[in-house]
Amino acid sequence: MSIAKRGRLYHLRRRVPRRYRRVEPRETVWISLHTDSETVATSKADRAWSQMIEAWEARLAGNSEDAEARYEAARDLARARGFRYLDAGNVAKLPVEDVVERVEAIPAPANQPDPVEAAALLGTVPKPRITVTKALELYWVLAKEKTLGKSEDQLRRWEAPRKKAVKNFVAVVGDKGIANITRDDMLDFRQHWLDRIEAGEVTANSANKDLIHLGDVLKTVSGWGFRSLWANCPSRKARS
């Protein structure tokens, strides 16, 4: 690690590790320590290098094809650069000087702004949609208090019907983003259960339990208006 003055301020000079060559074209980086005091510069050097590593790691993740990984990487990268990640709409609402600060913080080697950095600081990485199967993953965390004190066997029996409800819905409707589920999707799923009830494959009570578990997952994760789409549940239809 080398600290030297460039102009009035001290900078940290280090070679770029091989791991980051894919996202950092420079062989050596100079990182400003924003001070003209050698003592202060020395105390800040380790933290500055750690932040640079964090930024490179976020940029590596930002090249991922996975939407969730890209979004989380954008948030991490913005934070590593000293900003809070905001979507493009909210960035546009910032005072002009704040927008300019973000723009100026985007590395531009050879006068070409880095696209991953630009997306992170200007908020153009879309928030990933939550699919029905992803909602179940999030549900385990959000509903953690419901499982406190349960034994391993009790936990397995508690999780099983919820997994089954999600699996059944995906088999009929598909693994849609929960924000894109329509009333027609719900009606198709309800009809699926009505058909099975009429065929004697399941009871109305079994169908209702499946719907209740699915509704609990979706409402817990998104507060989605599930109940209104099930005003006429299969058991009522079956009894009519």
Side-chain angles (χ1 to χ4, degrees), residues 173-190:
V173 176
D175 193 17
K176 299 185 68 172
I178 59 177
N180 301 120
I181 295 174
T182 66
R183 183 176 181 82
D184 285 342
D185 292 329
M186 290 302 192
L187 293 175
D188 288 344
F189 191 48
R190 185 175 66 181

Side-chain angles (χ1 to χ4, degrees), residues 11 28 43-44 47 59 128 171 191 199 207 221 224 233:
H11 287 66
T28 302
S43 68
K44 295 173 68 174
R47 177 56 182 158
R59 289 173 66 182
Q191 188 60 49
V221 171
W224 193 55
C233 63

Side-chain angles (χ1 to χ4, degrees), residues 61-145:
N63 287 327
S64 167
E65 294 182 0
D66 182 85
E68 290 182 27
R70 287 200 307 273
Y71 184 72
E72 288 304 315
R75 295 179 63 180
D76 291 343
L77 183 52
R79 184 166 54 250
R81 295 303 187 207
F83 299 93
R84 182 165 66 93
Y85 182 82
L86 299 173
D87 61 46
N90 285 318
V91 170
K93 296 176 183 177
L94 293 172
V96 173
E97 56 270 23
D98 290 350
V99 176
V100 170
E101 184 180 6
R102 286 174 177 257
V103 171
E104 291 180 342
I106 299 170
N111 294 320
Q112 294 295 322
D114 183 276
V116 175
E117 299 260 3
L121 297 183
L122 300 181
T124 59
V125 180
K127 188 173 184 178
R129 65 175 189 156
I130 300 176
T131 64
V132 178
T133 53
K134 180 62 178 178
L136 183 61
E137 294 178 24
L138 297 173
Y139 176 79
W140 302 137
V141 178
L142 296 174
K144 190 71 175 178
E145 75 281 356

